[in-house]
Amino acid sequence: MTIALLLALAGLAVLDSTSFGTLGIPVYLMLSLDRSRTSRLFVYLATVTVFYFLVGVALMFGLSTAMNTFGDALNSRPAYIVQLVLGVGLFALSWRFDPKWRAKRNLPERTFEPRMGGPRTMMMVGLTAGALEVATMVPYLAAIGMMTTSGLAAGQWVPLLAAYVLIMILPTLALMAVRAAAGARLEPKLERLRVWLVKHSSSMLSWGMAIVGFLLARDAAARLFL
């Protein structure tokens, strides 16, 4: 484990902390819930944190096992062709969520707003947000890949992964603390932030899918044709 790896993981975690699921939805919930029901936001954050931690554990074990068992098959030409097709398909699909693309075709713009409810609903919102967003969390997937290729032992990458997912929710926790200290003075700014995030949620999802698709296709094309 090197300092460079730790700094890279910290930077990626900070990027992930600005995603719609880790910042946009929490801000929306923060404004939509009464102060007396802030505990429901903690339920959401805990659900998202545990979800990403468990997905990371599964990916770490899965990637390591897959590389050990199917390393030759995964590095074959057919595998790279499949990766290329997936990348191009994901990139093409991203346009379906692009607001400008939809506007040119007179299609309604898609926005994503979480539904209010009790603790169980908050858990479902957290699980849904994580499941929908995990494939487009480029920094998160890159961090998993870095920890896998670094050959870290479980005793090293487990605490690293735990710290990573905690950093992902730090901005929201900081906003909650500032809101509690500032009272009603912060509400107008948070409301503007919420409106902006909801308005651009579809665009952020589109960009995320496009980036993942491009990276997959570029990697496969480089291995196939260069």
Side-chain angles (χ1 to χ4, degrees):
M1 188 186 306
T2 64
I3 298 297
L5 175 62
L6 295 177
L7 291 176
L9 292 176
L12 291 171
V14 171
L15 287 176
D16 271 333
S17 70
T18 62
S19 75
F20 188 67
T22 56
L23 184 61
I25 292 178
V27 168
Y28 182 90
L29 294 175
M30 195 185 307
L31 288 167
S32 302
L33 294 172
D34 297 334
R35 290 178 181 270
S36 60
R37 298 181 178 180
T38 306
S39 60
R40 297 185 183 182
L41 180 53
F42 283 111
V43 172
Y44 171 85
L45 291 176
T47 301
V48 170
T49 303
V50 172
F51 173 84
Y52 278 113
F53 178 77
L54 293 179
V55 169
V57 170
L59 287 174
M60 288 295 294
F61 281 121
L63 287 176
S64 299
T65 303
M67 290 303 296
N68 292 332
T69 307
F70 306 106
D72 293 337
L74 293 175
N75 288 321
S76 65
R77 184 175 181 83
Y80 290 131
I81 292 175
V82 172
Q83 179 182 329
L84 179 62
V85 171
L86 287 175
V88 172
L90 189 59
F91 185 86
L93 182 61
S94 70
W95 290 95
R96 297 286 300 178
F97 295 90
D98 181 63
K100 294 180 181 179
W101 184 91
R102 298 183 67 83
K104 289 180 180 179
R105 289 157 180 79
N106 295 320
L107 296 174
E109 183 177 350
R110 291 180 176 178
T111 57
F112 302 93
E113 293 193 55
R115 187 183 65 176
M116 297 298 102
R120 182 176 299 179
T121 301
M122 292 298 98
M123 290 182 64
M124 292 304 300
V125 171
L127 290 173
T128 302
L132 290 175
E133 198 173 39
V134 66
T136 63
M137 297 280 277
V138 179
Y140 175 80
L141 297 175
I144 297 297
M146 290 174 63
M147 287 189 286
T148 301
T149 56
S150 296
L152 301 177
Q156 294 176 306
W157 64 257
V158 168
L160 276 180
L161 181 60
Y164 189 98
V165 296
L166 288 176
I167 291 175
M168 287 172 61
I169 63 170
L170 279 183
T172 297
L173 294 177
L175 276 176
M176 293 175 67
V178 171
R179 185 196 187 197
R185 291 174 295 175
L186 191 62
E187 301 301 317
K189 294 182 179 179
L190 285 175
E191 176 61 19
R192 287 196 294 271
L193 177 59
R194 183 194 70 82
V195 171
W196 186 89
L197 288 169
V198 171
K199 180 181 179 181
H200 294 87
S201 59
S202 181
S203 180
M204 288 188 286
L205 177 60
S206 174
W207 272 101
M209 294 174 66
I211 290 171
V212 173
F214 171 77
L215 292 175
L216 286 173
R218 186 190 66 172
D219 179 69
R223 296 175 185 274
L224 285 170
F225 307 116
L226 296 181

